[in-house]
Amino acid sequence: MRRFLARRLAHGAAVIFIAASLSFLLVHLAPGDPFSSTLDSAAISPSVKAAWRAAYGLDRPLLEQYLRFLGQLARGDLGPSLLQPGPASAALAGAVPNTLVLMGTALILSFVIGIGVGSWQAARAGSGGDRVAGNASLVVASLPEFWLGAVLLLVFALRFRVFPAGGVVDLVMHDSLSPAGRVLDRLRHLALPSLTLALLGSASIARYQRAALLDVLPQDFIRTARAKGVSDRLVLWRHALRNALVPTIVLLGLSLPTLLGGAVFVEQVFSWPGLGRLAAAAFHARDYQVVIGATIMGAVLVVAGGILADLLHAAVDPRVRAQ
Amino acid sequence: MTQPALLTVSDLRTYFYTGAGVARAVDGVSFTIGTGETLGIVGESGCGKSVTALSILRLVQQPGRIEPGSRIMFENQDLLQLDGAGIRRVRGNRIAMIFQEPMTALNPVFTVGDQIAEVARVHASASRRAAWDRAVEMLTMVGIPAPAERANQYPHQLSGGMRQRVLIAMALIMNPALVIADEPTTALDVTIQAQILELLADLQQRLGTSIAMITHDLGVIAEVASRVLVMYGGEVVEEARVETLFTEPHHPYTEGLLHAMPRVGRRQERLAVIPGSVPPPTAWPTGCRFRDRCAYAWDRCAREHPPLYQIGVGHVSRCHLADEPERRTARATAQVSPAAQAAVPGGGA
Amino acid sequence: MTSGVRQDVLLASSAPDGGGAFDRTGATSPWRSALGTLARDRSAMTGLAILAALALIALAAPYVAPYDPRAQPDIVALKYLPPTLAHPFGTDHLSRDVLSRIIVGSRVSLSVAFLSVVVAATVGTGYGAIAGYVGGKLDGLMMRVVDALLSIPRVLLLIAVATLWNGLELAGLVLLLGLTGWFGVSRLVRTLVLSAREDEFVTAARALGATHTRILTHHILPQVVSPVLVAATLAIGNVIVIEAGLTFLGMGVQPPNASWGSVFYDGMRDVGAAWWISISAGAALVITVLAVNLVADGLREALNARQLPAR
């Protein structure tokens, strides 16, 4: 088990290294640099721009820039941010926790909803309820994140003012609230963005879970359980579900990049100051240090989530643990 | 049949409603099992023996259905009339099953101890602790070394023979009145097979359990059963005490099975094989269902579905030869032996 | 696992009831029998009909659109008009007709998605075929790179690549979406090629002295086509959404060009006052994606390549 974890960590580190190198390369292969934007080029003289380029080391050969980038990265330094005062890493450090909270809540919710709905469907496969739920999940899985977010925003924040429209906390009131009130304030702000992601995620999980359970239910050990006198409910929720969770957890590990991509849009709709919103803002400011940092951070989150999914997989399936 | 009947199955019909038509997998089967008795049920795959076993505990899945008119009397109640909770009280508790695939019959994600203990927790509402202790006790009883450690292991960590022992422990933990063993030794190699059969016989002696032993292997029947049911085409085609069946088989299908059986101490050039195969249950032949594969078949067999003829005491056979025995001798003198005839291709459909 | 895919495809193509158009001459084309299956799949045909209608509307956009999508008749009096018969989807903040903008925007949305998926499928097939066919260390290295690229969320990768790009034109957008979309395809193709390489008829072809190019193009790639087709169809739905999302983030299609993403973005400026703008642009997206997914599901069934990823 420990060997497995060590190997997995080493693999993850290699993936992150390659991802970091590739994002550096791709950013710098683009035709342009932070100071070549067509919008502000007319006002500033070329000599000033050249001086800026030199100051940021952009006049050096790409290989030299790359090696310096790696050296800095090893120390957790991404260089200065162009968008806001201070290093790019500080901007990221502010954004990552918000994204983690959003993603974590969304993941848990989508698993609870998705597994619940998928199992409910599998228990009555072929019935009217199964078909309705199946069509509904197909439609929901096809919804763009930002669109569903906008609809929820319209209905629950603008039309019926049940939840706030955006941000992490109420900017005016938060500091004057009691500790319990602050937690509640945060939860109220978290509700709509996490629900948006969770609904989308749960739709695909439900479809997957239903198929996985239908694969498990005809197996011999299910018949054994029934022959022991175990009730149908326990057969489904104890004997079948545990086995059907295995492919769903594998799916979870594989779907993390998509989920994080969706979070970028949802953060934008709900002004949620996370990694995605930071990256979008940095894009407009041509703040490539922050953009590269956000990209690497995205890969780190995906790799870490993948390792967590593997551990979860091992916890559920003893055959994996044995390897 | 000296013992009082523990289980009486009468006119059991289990049909599967498939896209290809109605499969009459079990079609009017009746038999009894006495207390402490071991009944062998034998036949090729597809003859309906496993579906019969599943029907007793009502474990037949969609699109299968037990037809109205069937009756399964056990301990003074009709199992087919019980509600969901009622049949669950019987399953694993009064009637237990041992399945044929020890590789797949155990849940891969739970420890074997958990899976044995679950039976006690469901039926005796035993505490977690008590059920676990009982499970370890059962593992000891079925001869698993270091049972306390083994209980904590998962199925994939055990050998096939051990897994089969676990399934037996699971079946016996509630001390059921009847154990239905469906090919319990088929997936195992010969030495392990012998051990498992010995274990079953030994446990039956000690606990007084009745056993229904379902198998395609007459060798197993010879070893454990006292009475035998031969099934073909979803029906019982012959029933007899085990000695009678082996020495004086009546039904041509039984004869064929006996000839197909390898025997120690008798050299055979090749094993005789019954020609052809079991027809699909959606289209049983009219008349006698075995006639396409039978060396004796004559026109009456196509016309008339044979009833169970009484051959001797406790011996019945579903073959018109009982009515016209002269046909068998005529055939036997004309041919070297029915088995040799059976081995000639073209005897079948 | 992958050989299972191909076996299924082969089985499906030879089974008489696997396709409607079973050829009596005995030379059944797997494609024709798959088409037969597809033609009898009601939801796939619905999806196909919707896509065909959308494609027609996109092609004839200038004639179909009731108004000039860029016309701003009166940005004070006629802005944010709610849906009426004259403006079924209302007007936006510049008094432009939303329906016309969505109709014209479909051209950009659909063509960008289609072209970029063509780029992605081509690059992915080439990359995967090389890795799978050459094998060994090169394969290991190439797949490690794909692993890394797959672990970067695509949206973030797109943002990163677009950051220093001067004036991203439509062609640039197609290229960007294409070049960030081939990783999954390459992995799929590589496993298919890897197992096809071991096939008997490939061994036979090699023994007969066929060149590598010939083996690849004549024996291996034909087996790869149908799974790639399914994956590409699914990807189209995905890319339409990503393009709209990028435009919503402010990269992608630039004003005054319209795409579904830009109409959605315009609507989000004041979604409380004029909800119909974003909602109708989104509805166009949802209907398209749903139609694409229905077709992809049908294709997957018809080509019997169920082992493909679900999304």
Side-chain angles (χ1 to χ4, degrees):
Chain A
M1 193 62 218
R2 194 168 295 162
R3 282 241 316 277
F4 164 76
L5 193 59
R7 215 178 45 231
R8 198 65 187 71
L9 283 172
H11 178 254
V15 164
I16 290 168
F17 170 76
I18 300 175
S21 304
L22 286 172
S23 30
F24 175 87
L25 194 70
L26 288 172
V27 167
H28 286 271
L29 278 184
D33 67 37
F35 310 108
S36 66
S37 170
T38 43
L39 288 173
D40 53 4
S41 59
I44 301 156
S45 79
S47 63
V48 175
K49 285 189 173 180
W52 284 350
R53 287 198 177 96
Y56 283 94
L58 291 171
D59 55 342
R60 314 300 301 169
L62 196 60
L63 184 67
E64 191 185 321
Q65 290 187 50
Y66 172 61
L67 291 175
R68 206 186 44 182
F69 162 77
L70 284 185
Q72 286 178 338
L73 192 64
R75 281 175 270 122
D77 178 12
L78 292 160
S81 166
L82 302 176
L83 171 67
Q84 54 195 67
S89 52
L92 286 169
V96 166
N98 289 330
T99 294
L100 278 181
V101 167
L102 178 61
M103 294 269 298
T105 316
L107 267 178
I108 292 167
L109 279 178
S110 57
F111 259 70
V112 172
I113 300 172
I115 289 174
V117 172
S119 309
W120 182 85
Q121 280 183 268
R124 65 209 77 232
S127 70
D130 173 36
R131 266 201 301 280
V132 170
N135 288 333
S137 66
L138 183 68
V139 172
V140 173
S142 303
L143 299 179
E145 296 87 355
F146 47 87
W147 189 72
L148 182 60
V151 171
L152 292 183
L153 179 84
L154 259 173
V155 175
F156 293 106
L158 302 178
R159 185 77 187 78
F160 309 102
R161 298 176 178 275
V162 190
F163 293 108
V168 187
V169 293
D170 189 323
L171 290 176
V172 183
M173 298 297 295
H174 187 74
D175 288 335
S176 58
L177 290 170
S178 68
R182 287 184 193 187
V183 172
L184 193 69
D185 185 40
R186 282 183 182 276
L187 286 179
R188 277 166 42 80
H189 281 81
L190 181 61
L192 287 182
S194 59
L195 198 64
T196 306
L197 284 173
L199 279 178
L200 293 168
S202 62
S204 2
I205 291 175
R207 292 172 68 73
Y208 220 74
Q209 185 66 24
R210 176 180 178 277
L213 264 176
L214 288 183
D215 274 351
V216 171
L217 284 175
Q219 290 191 25
D220 290 334
F221 60 81
I222 296 299
R223 194 179 58 188
T224 308
R226 299 202 320 131
K228 290 199 290 192
V230 179
S231 68
D232 290 354
R233 204 165 40 86
L234 267 182
V235 167
L236 180 69
W237 291 104
R238 185 175 140 85
H239 287 267
L241 189 61
R242 182 83 176 266
N243 282 279
L245 274 181
V246 171
T248 308
I249 288 170
V250 174
L251 170 80
L252 160 76
L254 293 176
S255 65
L256 280 173
T258 317
L259 210 74
L260 197 51
V264 172
F265 297 132
V266 170
E267 287 179 3
Q268 194 69 16
V269 171
F270 292 100
S271 315
W272 186 266
L275 208 53
R277 195 168 162 76
L278 178 70
F283 164 83
H284 287 293
R286 293 202 153 208
D287 189 348
Y288 72 99
Q289 321 264 31
V290 168
V291 168
I292 292 179
T295 311
I296 297 172
M297 206 34 121
V300 170
L301 291 184
V302 167
V303 167
I307 294 176
L308 270 181
D310 281 355
L311 290 178
L312 209 59
H313 187 184
V316 169
D317 189 346
R319 285 163 297 185
V320 177
R321 241 175 291 163
Q323 282 169 14
Chain B
M1 272 192 283
T2 44
Q3 308 100 326
L6 172 72
L7 178 84
T8 306
V9 173
S10 21
D11 202 23
L12 176 66
R13 290 171 202 275
T14 307
Y15 292 176
F16 288 79
Y17 294 83
T18 67
V22 179
R24 292 177 287 162
V26 175
D27 202 10
V29 165
S30 304
F31 63 91
T32 61
I33 300 178
T35 306
E37 185 194 24
T38 298
L39 174 74
I41 302 179
V42 71
E44 288 167 283
S45 52
C47 69
K49 55 192 197 309
S50 286
V51 178
T52 303
L54 291 174
S55 300
I56 294 173
L57 280 180
R58 287 176 31 199
L59 291 170
V60 178
Q61 294 274 47
Q62 288 289 330
R65 210 180 82 187
I66 300 176
E67 296 296 302
S70 314
R71 268 186 2 137
I72 300 176
M73 293 303 294
F74 174 78
E75 294 184 334
N76 299 321
Q77 48 188 355
D78 186 350
L79 297 184
L80 299 179
Q81 303 301 325
L82 294 177
D83 60 3
I87 189 71
R88 279 201 299 276
R89 270 195 296 277
V90 175
R91 290 177 185 160
N93 186 23
R94 302 303 302 149
I95 303 180
M97 278 199 81
I98 302 172
F99 290 104
Q100 59 179 308
E101 309 89 354
M103 305 300 163
T104 53
L106 289 168
N107 195 325
V109 301
F110 296 113
T111 62
V112 296
D114 262 340
Q115 296 186 56
I116 300 170
E118 187 181 23
V119 187
R121 286 171 59 76
V122 167
H123 293 295
S125 10
S127 71
R128 189 171 284 273
R129 184 74 237 166
W132 183 266
D133 290 346
R134 185 89 183 92
V136 175
E137 221 173 277
M138 289 309 294
L139 286 176
T140 321
M141 194 167 99
V142 298
I144 286 187
E149 288 84 72
R150 287 296 184 184
N152 272 312
Q153 292 191 323
Y154 291 92
H156 72 269
Q157 293 166 300
L158 306 183
S159 68
M162 284 227 249
R163 277 188 274 220
Q164 196 55 269
R165 284 169 194 265
V166 168
L167 284 171
I168 293 173
M170 200 185 281
L172 295 179
I173 187 169
M174 294 310 294
N175 200 358
L178 172 65
V179 170
I180 304 171
D182 187 1
E183 306 265 7
T185 58
T186 306
L188 306 173
D189 62 45
V190 186
T191 46
I192 311 286
Q193 233 176 59
Q195 287 173 17
I196 295 288
L197 287 178
E198 211 169 293
L199 171 73
L200 272 175
D202 174 52
L203 292 173
Q204 183 187 22
Q205 287 278 304
R206 278 203 273 158
L207 306 172
T209 317
S210 301
I211 295 181
M213 174 66 72
I214 294 164
T215 178
H216 67 278
D217 184 350
L218 279 169
V220 172
I221 295 284
E223 209 154 320
V224 298
S226 50
R227 209 152 47 83
V228 189
L229 221 57
V230 182
M231 285 190 69
Y232 186 83
E235 300 177 314
V236 174
V237 295
E238 185 161 9
E239 182 188 335
R241 294 201 53 78
V242 67
E243 313 83 51
T244 318
L245 192 90
F246 277 84
T247 53
E248 306 159 41
H250 184 272
H251 199 283
Y253 178 62
T254 315
E255 276 183 358
L257 286 180
L258 286 168
H259 282 294
M261 195 180 142
R263 273 179 226 203
V264 185
R266 205 178 83 185
R267 286 194 53 187
Q268 273 171 302
E269 285 302 301
R270 49 183 281 205
L271 286 175
V273 176
I274 305 173
S277 56
V278 182
T282 44
W284 297 128
T286 55
C288 173
R289 293 180 180 177
F290 184 60
R291 68 182 154 87
D292 288 345
R293 304 171 71 188
C294 182
Y296 304 105
W298 68 98
D299 51 349
R300 183 179 178 186
C301 304
R303 258 195 344 259
E304 197 183 321
H305 183 244
L308 279 172
Y309 293 98
Q310 194 76 36
I311 308 298
V313 179
H315 187 182
V316 293
S317 169
R318 197 182 286 282
C319 179
H320 293 310
L321 282 175
D323 220 21
E324 306 178 38
E326 65 282 359
R327 286 184 178 269
R328 190 193 301 262
T329 32
R331 191 86 195 176
T333 44
Q335 302 284 333
V336 183
S337 82
Q341 160 71 18
V344 175
Chain C
M1 193 174 91
T2 45
S3 66
V5 178
R6 288 177 303 103
Q7 266 172 12
D8 286 352
V9 173
L10 291 175
L11 283 176
S13 62
S14 57
D17 53 354
F22 186 67
D23 200 333
R24 274 168 196 282
T25 60
T28 337
S29 147
W31 290 102
R32 205 187 297 173
S33 83
L35 275 181
T37 312
L38 193 64
R40 274 183 281 117
D41 182 338
R42 227 186 312 149
S43 43
M45 291 325 280
T46 313
L48 212 56
I50 294 173
L51 287 186
L54 284 168
L56 272 180
I57 291 174
L59 283 175
Y63 309 102
V64 180
Y67 300 90
D68 175 357
R70 295 188 187 184
Q72 306 175 5
D74 185 343
I75 59 170
V76 181
L78 295 180
K79 80 168 186 176
Y80 288 150
L81 287 182
T84 57
L85 270 182
H87 298 281
F89 292 168
T91 60
D92 68 4
H93 62 294
L94 297 175
S95 73
R96 297 174 297 195
D97 179 50
V98 174
L99 176 61
S100 303
R101 288 186 67 73
I102 288 177
I103 288 175
V104 172
S106 70
R107 295 186 133 191
V108 173
S109 291
L110 295 179
S111 59
V112 165
F114 181 76
L115 291 175
S116 68
V117 167
V118 169
V119 172
T122 312
V123 174
T125 304
Y127 189 94
I130 292 171
Y133 193 73
V134 174
K137 279 203 177 120
L138 183 72
D139 175 38
L141 183 71
M142 286 173 84
M143 281 304 118
R144 200 41 80 77
V145 169
V146 168
D147 273 353
L149 287 168
L150 273 173
S151 67
I152 306 175
R154 187 170 177 191
V155 180
L156 287 177
L157 187 63
L158 281 164
I159 295 175
V161 180
T163 300
L164 295 185
W165 209 297
N166 288 330
L168 194 61
E169 297 297 326
L170 279 187
L173 192 62
V174 167
L175 206 62
L176 272 192
L177 285 167
L179 291 181
T180 53
W182 57 269
F183 318 138
V185 177
S186 77
R187 189 183 266 180
L188 174 70
V189 169
R190 176 228 176 215
T191 34
L192 289 170
V193 169
L194 215 53
S195 64
R197 207 173 56 156
E198 307 304 326
D199 272 350
E200 279 160 28
F201 66 89
V202 171
T203 319
R206 194 172 291 150
L208 289 172
T211 62
H212 288 305
T213 327
R214 193 180 158 77
I215 291 174
L216 256 177
T217 53
H218 282 70
H219 297 288
I220 294 183
L221 286 182
Q223 299 193 42
V224 169
V225 173
S226 55
V228 168
L229 192 68
V230 176
T233 311
L234 280 171
I236 287 183
N238 211 359
V239 169
I240 291 177
V241 172
I242 290 182
E243 180 270 314
L246 285 182
T247 306
F248 164 58
L249 291 181
M251 45 203 87
V253 179
Q254 300 302 326
N257 281 333
S259 85
W260 292 342
S262 72
V263 177
F264 182 87
Y265 175 73
D266 288 341
M268 286 304 281
R269 287 163 197 275
D270 198 352
V271 71
W275 53 269
W276 50 86
I277 305 169
S278 292
I279 297 304
S280 38
L285 272 171
V286 172
I287 290 168
T288 313
V289 173
L290 200 58
V292 168
N293 286 352
L294 287 177
V295 173
D297 266 0
L299 266 181
R300 182 161 33 190
E301 290 284 322
L303 298 171
N304 240 309
R306 255 170 262 181
Q307 280 87 341
L308 294 171
R311 226 187 120 143

